[in-house]
Amino acid sequence: MAINVSVYSKKIESLKKNFSILSVDINKILDKYGNISFEGTSLSKKESFISLMRLNPSTELIRYLDSKTNLSHFKDKRSNIEYAIDLVLGWLSEDIIISHLREKNLQCDLNGRDKYRDFLSAKDISTQPDIKVKINDQYRALEIMNDWNDYWIRSDKLDLRDNKFLRLSNEKSLFLGIAPMSSKGIFLDFSEKLDFVRRYNPAYGKKSYTLKKIKNKLVDLVKCISNLEDHIYESKE
């Protein structure tokens, strides 16, 4: 089992901090998964998520994850277990946002195959937005993107792969970019004109779309979520 304990401990602590900042009870979120097991196993999703957040998965869970997460195209240089932890942290980040929005009487639901919180095969992984928000009897897609290493702050830019940017633009999606380590975020509406620039990105080895000078656009997490909520309410009027 290969886990960079220093890196992942910081990620997990930042997630817990953001649960607290947004007044969302992490135990209530985890309780939703208490009576659900991964298909074909006796592994409780709740207990599996908890053990991964403690960086102490059981031998059975490690074997299961090794059978599900050996996806080189998606995990990059991460180990199977690190890739699994990142997926769980992403799922819980979405759960935080949904819980917070529902507390504000906004109707939203998980979208796509990810809503089942299963470790999917390569052919089942989709690029559908994570959440759908109901506005005036219609749903709009809400994409959530996490920057776990404060790259946006260090580089002063936000990069989106070609296909993601075009999908967000074509679907006129809402976008919530969250930097968990610094508890900051940015809200964007892709139905509006945005200042992305298309450029060659050496990290991707292809063209991407970049929003520059993002440090000036990042706000504290509570304000960022409030901007999203206000935008939804204004769209309802």
Side-chain angles (χ1 to χ4, degrees):
M1 180 181 72
I3 301 177
N4 187 322
V5 174
S6 174
V7 169
Y8 280 85
S9 293
K10 290 176 183 177
K11 287 186 178 185
I12 291 162
E13 287 308 309
S14 69
L15 180 73
K16 291 178 179 178
K17 180 178 66 173
N18 291 337
F19 265 103
S20 177
I21 288 172
L22 294 175
S23 301
V24 176
D25 187 341
I26 189 171
N27 294 310
K28 287 185 178 179
I29 296 296
L30 290 167
D31 282 345
K32 295 190 310 176
Y33 304 104
N35 297 318
I36 309 172
S37 297
F38 291 110
E39 185 177 357
T41 77
S42 60
L43 291 165
S44 157
K45 290 187 178 181
K46 174 183 176 180
E47 296 306 319
S48 297
F49 294 169
I50 290 172
S51 68
L52 287 171
M53 290 182 69
R54 290 175 177 166
L55 304 182
N56 188 31
S58 67
T59 301
E60 183 184 5
L61 179 57
I62 292 170
R63 280 201 299 264
Y64 173 74
L65 293 174
D66 279 341
S67 73
K68 292 288 185 178
T69 59
N70 192 22
L71 308 171
S72 57
H73 178 69
F74 294 95
K75 68 178 186 172
D76 303 315
K77 296 180 180 179
R78 293 170 290 181
S79 67
N80 292 345
I81 198 79
E82 289 174 336
Y83 174 65
I85 294 170
D86 280 330
L87 285 176
V88 170
L89 295 181
W91 294 339
L92 294 177
S93 295
E94 293 167 8
D95 288 339
I96 295 176
I97 303 303
I98 288 176
S99 177
H100 192 75
L101 293 178
R102 285 176 176 170
E103 283 291 319
K104 303 296 183 181
N105 297 315
L106 295 170
Q107 187 173 339
C108 54
D109 297 287
L110 287 170
N111 188 43
R113 289 292 302 272
D114 255 4
K115 67 182 178 182
Y116 300 111
R117 303 319 198 200
D118 288 316
F119 296 100
L120 302 174
S121 63
K123 67 181 178 61
D124 291 324
I125 295 174
S126 76
T127 58
Q128 286 182 290
D130 312 301
I131 296 171
K132 55 184 182 180
V133 180
K134 194 171 186 180
I135 303 175
N136 298 329
D137 296 324
Q138 291 188 327
Y139 280 98
R140 285 191 69 185
L142 170 61
E143 179 83 14
I144 295 179
M145 183 175 183
N146 288 303
D147 171 22
W148 288 103
N149 60 10
D150 274 344
Y151 171 78
W152 298 340
I153 292 174
R154 289 186 287 105
S155 67
D156 202 17
K157 60 178 181 282
L158 184 158
D159 294 319
L160 294 176
R161 294 179 186 273
D162 240 16
N163 57 347
K164 182 181 285 278
F165 176 86
L166 294 173
R167 177 177 56 76
L168 293 173
S169 298
N170 291 336
E171 296 179 2
K172 297 180 170 55
S173 299
L174 304 174
F175 176 90
L176 199 59
I178 299 173
M181 294 291 191
S182 55
S183 298
K184 292 184 179 294
I186 180 171
F187 166 67
L188 301 170
D189 184 343
F190 274 77
S191 70
E192 301 173 354
K193 181 173 173 53
L194 301 172
D195 296 326
F196 279 88
V197 176
R198 193 165 188 254
R199 69 179 184 97
Y200 177 78
N201 190 323
Y204 298 156
K206 59 180 72 172
K207 296 280 189 178
S208 70
Y209 285 84
T210 298
L211 182 62
K212 298 181 178 179
K213 300 188 183 304
I214 191 176
K215 281 197 288 189
N216 295 330
K217 300 177 176 69
L218 289 166
V219 296
D220 70 77
L221 188 56
V222 173
K223 174 63 176 172
C224 177
I225 306 298
S226 178
N227 289 343
L228 167 62
E229 293 163 357
D230 290 345
H231 190 79
I232 294 171
Y233 281 121
E234 289 168 4
S235 299
K236 285 173 175 278
E237 295 176 355

